[in-house]
Amino acid sequence: MSLLIQHGYGKSDKIERAISEGKVRGVILSPKDETPESLKDYIRALDRITPKVSVLFDPQFYASTISPVKEGNL
């Protein structure tokens, strides 16, 4: 079983450190607070740490239940 770490607003270098130290095998990206270009750059940076990193996306369907809707970059 692989342990993944959740990416989100206000991230620091904790994700990169955890991956480079072998503590987690991948990341679940949260597209709500990042632009698509920023996410592409971040995935490239993670791939430089280890090309074996697992990258998943949080679809954040729950955002549609919030009123008023704050879609961010979804």
Side-chain angles (χ1 to χ4, degrees):
M1 180 170 79
S2 297
L3 182 62
L4 303 175
I5 193 167
Q6 177 75 40
H7 153 280
Y9 175 78
K11 69 183 182 299
S12 63
D13 67 339
K14 293 175 189 167
I15 294 172
E16 294 89 341
R17 282 188 296 139
I19 291 171
S20 66
E21 293 171 6
K23 294 179 179 173
V24 298
R25 302 274 310 230
V27 61
I28 302 170
L29 297 177
S30 178
K32 181 178 174 288
D33 297 309
E34 300 268 2
T35 64
E37 188 59 40
S38 176
L39 286 175
K40 282 186 217 175
D41 292 342
Y42 191 62
I43 292 169
R44 285 186 202 113
L46 294 175
D47 192 53
R48 283 191 294 272
I49 295 170
T50 176
K52 295 180 181 181
V53 67
S54 296
V55 178
L56 302 176
F57 288 91
D58 180 351
Q60 299 183 333
F61 291 120
Y62 60 84
S64 63
T65 64
I66 300 169
S67 181
V69 176
K70 295 175 74 177
E71 294 175 345
N73 292 303
L74 295 176

